[in-house]
Amino acid sequence: MTDYARLLPLAQQAVDLAHDLMRTLQPGALTFKGDRDMASEVDYAIERQVRTHLAAKAPDIGFLGEEYGSSDDASALTWALDPVDGTVNFVHGSPLCAISLGLLHGADAVLGVIDLPFLGTRYHAAKGHGAYANNRRIHASRVTDLTDAVVAIGDYAVGTGASRKNAERLAITEQLTRHVQRIRMHGSAAIDLAWLAHGKIDAFIMLNNKPWDTVAGVAVAREAGALVVDVDGTPHSAHAVATIGGNELLLPPVLTLVQRSLERAAPG
């Protein structure tokens, strides 16, 4: 098996650069990418600096970023970066935002570094080497009953098709209110997946899926013992349409709840 851990020091260096920028720069002017979807000047500054650093140190590895897209390298390995995951939170002064740098081997998440600059926590993992928060080993929750579970959900949809998409999200939310202890919406997939790994939440449901949002978090969550799947129950990959996670006993009822909710919300 490839030892992806050899790339962790490089990933940590890149995230160090991003951390300093997020901690010292103001959001600046906002670029609106669509209906209520935005990027700050810090998003672009971090992505430029991280991309340049990684290209200089590992030119044979491709790069995919939220703001500038793909480097189009024909490489088996690809970095996936969300420079500010939770931009709306960041712009509003909320500490619930993260830098998320992951590594894909093909479509499989194999390494992740997630930094929470305003909460003082950094998560990292490499396939086969466990998951860590501030260099201490972490494990996913052992909760097995939905009634004891804290479940985080992704943001509601904006933009084209938002009404239809939110009918699905509202159907899931309504079912969760009947069965789980509490529901949380943190506004950052990277934080949700890191906290799934750390046992701070017990399950996570997000219906949209972009590699830069999920690669690092999926790598960390899996190394902490969580299972992360697509909406059909197949293992999560860069091609997944949803991100659903939990431990091996809690995930099946969560997945069933999601699937049944989507069936009820389907038109006709």
Side-chain angles (χ1 to χ4, degrees):
M1 183 176 72
T2 303
D3 184 13
Y4 303 103
R6 64 184 174 81
L7 291 168
L8 269 173
L10 175 56
Q12 296 275 21
Q13 290 170 12
V15 173
D16 285 342
L17 297 173
H19 173 101
D20 290 343
L21 289 172
M22 191 183 286
R23 290 282 302 178
T24 57
L25 297 180
Q26 294 300 310
L30 302 179
T31 300
F32 288 88
K33 301 187 288 185
D35 175 31
R36 291 167 286 172
D37 184 18
M38 67 187 74
S40 72
E41 289 182 12
V42 177
D43 290 73
Y44 292 107
I46 288 175
E47 187 162 325
R48 286 194 300 268
Q49 188 149 340
V50 169
R51 180 189 289 254
T52 298
H53 180 78
L54 293 174
K57 299 292 186 178
D60 55 329
I61 299 178
F63 188 93
L64 174 65
E66 179 174 11
E67 308 309 338
Y68 291 108
S70 172
S71 61
D72 294 322
D73 296 323
S75 172
L77 296 177
T78 305
W79 299 108
L81 174 73
D82 192 333
V84 182
D85 190 43
T87 297
V88 172
N89 289 350
F90 175 63
V91 168
H92 283 77
S94 167
L96 295 181
C97 47
I99 300 148
S100 178
L101 177 63
L103 183 69
L104 286 165
H105 189 160
D108 186 27
V110 295
L111 177 152
V113 179
I114 297 172
D115 190 73
L116 282 52
F118 303 107
L119 295 178
T121 309
R122 181 175 295 188
Y123 295 89
H124 77 265
K127 189 172 184 177
H129 291 271
Y132 298 83
N134 291 345
N135 295 315
R136 293 187 176 183
R137 188 76 179 260
I138 57 173
H139 300 279
S141 162
R142 304 298 186 191
V143 168
T144 59
D145 193 315
L146 274 180
T147 59
D148 298 322
V150 175
V151 180
I153 58 175
D155 282 337
Y156 291 117
V158 297
T160 304
S163 294
R164 174 187 56 79
K165 294 174 183 177
N166 284 330
E168 298 174 341
R169 287 156 174 78
L170 289 166
I172 292 169
T173 303
E174 194 273 337
Q175 286 300 308
L176 289 172
T177 64
R178 297 179 181 220
H179 296 288
V180 306
Q181 187 180 81
R182 290 291 187 276
I183 304 168
R184 297 288 181 258
M185 183 183 286
H186 299 118
S188 164
I191 288 178
D192 286 327
L193 286 162
W195 285 358
L196 177 67
H198 207 171
K200 296 179 182 291
I201 61 172
D202 305 299
F204 173 52
I205 301 165
M206 183 174 73
L207 293 190
N208 59 309
N209 182 73
K210 300 294 185 183
W212 49 79
D213 289 324
T214 58
V215 171
V218 169
V220 174
R222 283 178 171 162
E223 285 300 305
L227 302 178
V228 188
V229 300
D230 200 349
V231 71
D232 61 358
T234 57
H236 191 277
S237 76
H239 306 304
V241 298
T243 307
I244 302 168
N247 65 43
E248 62 183 4
L249 294 177
L250 193 62
L251 181 62
V254 169
L255 185 59
T256 296
L257 182 151
V258 170
Q259 292 170 341
R260 289 177 177 173
S261 298
L262 294 177
E263 289 174 3
R264 293 188 183 101

